[in-house]
Every structure is written in C-alpha cells, then in structure tokens.
C-alpha cells in the first residue's frame, strides 16, 4: 500500500538541448511506486515515441531523499503509468512504478519510507 510521505524528488530533464534539474515532492509512496507533483508541462514527458501503434514507456531517473537529511537518498528508475492534470493548480500529478529495484535498493527505500512517514 502507498503511504502519505513527503520525500523530495529530483529529476533531470532536457530542455532546449540543456539538462535542467527539477525538484518536487511525493504525495505518497510505496516499495512499488510513487505519486509526485509535476511542475513541468506534460510535453516534457514526450520522450515517449509512438512506434507501430505502441508507445515506448516513459522512464524517469529520479533521486528520492529525506527532506530533513539529504544524505539519506536513493537513486531509482520509474516508469510513468499515469499523469493527472489539475485545473488551476501550479502542478499536476505523475504516478510511476519502480523498475529495476534490487533487494538492497528496496531495503533502502523501506528504511527511507519508515523514517519519513507522515501518518
């Protein structure tokens, strides 16, 4: 189950040929995925390319970290599964599932979630 947790999310995006680092925060997270605030346009997720009627999955390389201790961080790769546009808000929501999460990373994620849960 996803738990309400405030982790910081760092994402590097390409903008006009340059790499730009963006930071956001999670809404909720679990050992299988996360939902976080997305301040960029959804056009910036257009790395997905239609090929033969199928879309290439959108993969994001993210850094998750405890906002009270930036040394507690974890590099993860996540596949975007949905985007929700919120009218009149400065951000939208992105839901993503973790991919390539090994046992060590999963343990680190559980530790990070346990230290920052806001229940």
């Amino acid at each position: 189950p996803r738990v309400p947790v405030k982790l910081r999310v760092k994402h590097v995006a390409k903008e006009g040929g340059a790499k730009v680092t963006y930071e956001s925060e999670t809404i909720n997270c679990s050992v299988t995925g996360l939902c976080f605030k997305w301040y960029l346009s959804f056009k910036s997720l257009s790395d997905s390319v239609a090929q033969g009627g199928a879309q290439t999955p959108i993969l994001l390389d993210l850094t998750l970290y405890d906002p009270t201790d930036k040394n507690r961080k974890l590099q993860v790769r996540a596949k975007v599964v949905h985007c929700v546009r919120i009218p009149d808000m400065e951000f939208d929501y992105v839901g993503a599932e973790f991919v390539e999460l090994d046992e060590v990373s999963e343990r680190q994620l559980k530790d990070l979630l346990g230290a920052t849960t806001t229940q």
Side-chain angles (χ1 to χ4, degrees), residues 15-63:
E15 238 180 49
K19 289 185 178 182
V20 181
T21 301
Y22 291 96
E23 289 198 38
S24 182
E25 70 181 4
T26 59
I27 303 300
N28 59 49
C29 190
S30 73
V31 293
T32 60
L34 74 161
C35 179
F36 63 99
K37 295 177 181 178
W38 185 263
Y39 290 91
L40 306 173
S41 74
F42 283 142
K43 268 192 143 182
S44 62
L45 286 177
S46 63
D47 346 15
S48 80
V49 179
Q51 294 179 347
Q55 277 197 326
T56 302
I58 301 168
L59 297 176
L60 301 174
D61 291 314
L62 305 172
T63 302

Side-chain angles (χ1 to χ4, degrees), residues 11-115:
H11 168 62
V12 177
K14 289 183 182 175
E15 238 180 49
K19 289 185 178 182
V20 181
T21 301
Y22 291 96
E23 289 198 38
S24 182
E25 70 181 4
T26 59
I27 303 300
N28 59 49
C29 190
S30 73
V31 293
T32 60
L34 74 161
C35 179
F36 63 99
K37 295 177 181 178
W38 185 263
Y39 290 91
L40 306 173
S41 74
F42 283 142
K43 268 192 143 182
S44 62
L45 286 177
S46 63
D47 346 15
S48 80
V49 179
Q51 294 179 347
Q55 277 197 326
T56 302
I58 301 168
L59 297 176
L60 301 174
D61 291 314
L62 305 172
T63 302
L64 303 178
Y65 63 91
D66 181 342
T68 62
D69 182 359
K70 288 188 177 186
N71 292 320
R72 294 174 51 91
K73 63 183 174 184
L74 176 64
Q75 301 286 332
V76 295
R77 175 167 274 196
K79 176 178 73 173
V80 174
V81 292
H82 67 270
C83 303
V84 179
R85 183 170 304 281
I86 309 295
D88 301 324
M89 296 291 285
E90 65 182 63
F91 58 85
D92 300 307
Y93 294 101
V94 169
E97 294 175 351
F98 297 126
V99 295
E100 304 169 14
L101 200 63
D102 60 24
E103 286 182 37
V104 172
S105 297
E106 187 175 326
R107 220 174 9 257
Q108 289 174 318
L109 181 58
K110 286 178 181 177
D111 182 52
L112 193 58
L113 290 174

